[in-house]
Amino acid sequence: MRSSERTVVREQARREVWREGLGVAIATSAYGISFGALSVASGLDVWQTCVLSLLMFTGGSQFAFIGVFGAGGIAALPSAIASAALLGVRNVAYGMRMSSIIGDGFWRRAAAAQVTIDESTAVAIAQERPQLRRLGFWLTGLGVFIGWNLTTLAGALLGDVLGDPKTWGLDAAAAAAFLALLWPRLKQRQAIAVGVAAAVVAASLTPFLMPGLPVLVAACVAILVGWFNWLGRDAPRQTLQGVGA
């Protein structure tokens, strides 16, 4: 392939990463409006809601926090913090995976730690070349960070105007988004078993335990099943090799 052709191919690949990263950022940022509105409805004010998005910045943990806090108030604050922290642990694994892509440098790694989320990791590892992975990571991570915080502010300011978020279906927006992310992963018996078991446990314990605790117990069940890999031992060897690659 001639140098001019290689240049064209590289530019096309970069444009594709830009389209993918910005598309994911816009789609993810959209339901930040629901978080802002739900956060205000749960008892936080506009500034507390915005600080939560700026500092915590992991959608699942944020929704878990306000969901538990809104249901149980101050008494449920420890459960709310524990639920948010448990969901945020996955970002540690993402950080380990992204370490070689991000590169060295204290400030670079510090900034990367803030934007290492589901979306930035997914777009990065989908690329074939290191340069494209790095571009996908930063483009998606920064795009989601900016968009999410802007829509969080908008949702919080509109919270009082909109009234009850449930009337507009905003309470289901986050759940629908996470279900859309989860559904493609439910291809093996192990993943299906973990999801079903965790859902049954959480639903069964909800009437009896303080808000937030059913989620923590369900997470422990998921970890237990995944740790022992009870239903995944018969996975084809070639599949395991492909994952390791």
Side-chain angles (χ1 to χ4, degrees), residues 1 5-17 97 100-102 123-137:
M1 182 181 295
E5 295 176 342
R6 286 196 295 268
T7 300
V8 171
V9 170
R10 284 197 296 267
E11 287 301 318
Q12 289 177 342
R14 286 177 61 86
R15 285 196 294 268
E16 182 61 30
V17 174
R97 178 67 178 84
S100 60
I101 296 175
I102 296 166
V123 173
I125 63 177
Q127 312 308 320
E128 296 181 355
R129 298 201 303 272
Q131 297 86 347
L132 297 179
R133 290 174 181 170
R134 190 174 297 112
L135 173 62
F137 173 83

Side-chain angles (χ1 to χ4, degrees), residues 22 36 38 50 56-57 64 74 94 99 101-102 112 116 140 157-158 193 202 211 226 230 238:
L22 290 179
L38 289 171
C50 291
M56 184 179 290
F57 186 56
I74 296 296
Y94 294 161
S99 179
I101 296 175
I102 296 166
T116 301
T140 307
L157 293 174
L158 290 173
W230 285 325
Q238 60 269 27

Side-chain angles (χ1 to χ4, degrees), residues 35 39 42 44 48 52 56 58-73 76-85 87:
F35 170 74
S39 180
S42 71
L44 300 180
Q48 290 170 330
L52 196 62
M56 184 179 290
T58 170
S61 296
Q62 292 180 229
F63 277 107
F65 180 87
I66 63 170
V68 175
F69 179 77
L77 186 59
S79 295
I81 295 174
S83 299
L87 284 173

Side-chain angles (χ1 to χ4, degrees), residues 208-242:
F208 308 105
L209 297 180
M210 180 183 297
L213 291 181
V215 176
L216 295 178
V217 176
C220 292
V221 171
I223 292 172
L224 184 66
V225 175
W227 181 270
F228 289 100
N229 198 28
W230 285 325
L231 297 177
R233 293 174 180 170
D234 58 346
R237 181 176 299 274
Q238 60 269 27
T239 301
L240 298 178
Q241 291 173 346

Side-chain angles (χ1 to χ4, degrees), residues 158-203:
L158 290 173
D160 293 334
V161 177
L162 294 174
D164 187 358
K166 296 181 181 179
T167 304
W168 302 88
L170 294 178
D171 57 321
F178 285 116
L179 181 60
L181 292 174
L182 175 64
W183 188 260
R185 301 176 183 270
L186 300 181
K187 296 179 180 179
Q188 298 180 350
R189 290 184 300 169
Q190 175 81 354
I192 295 173
V194 169
V196 172
V200 170
V201 169

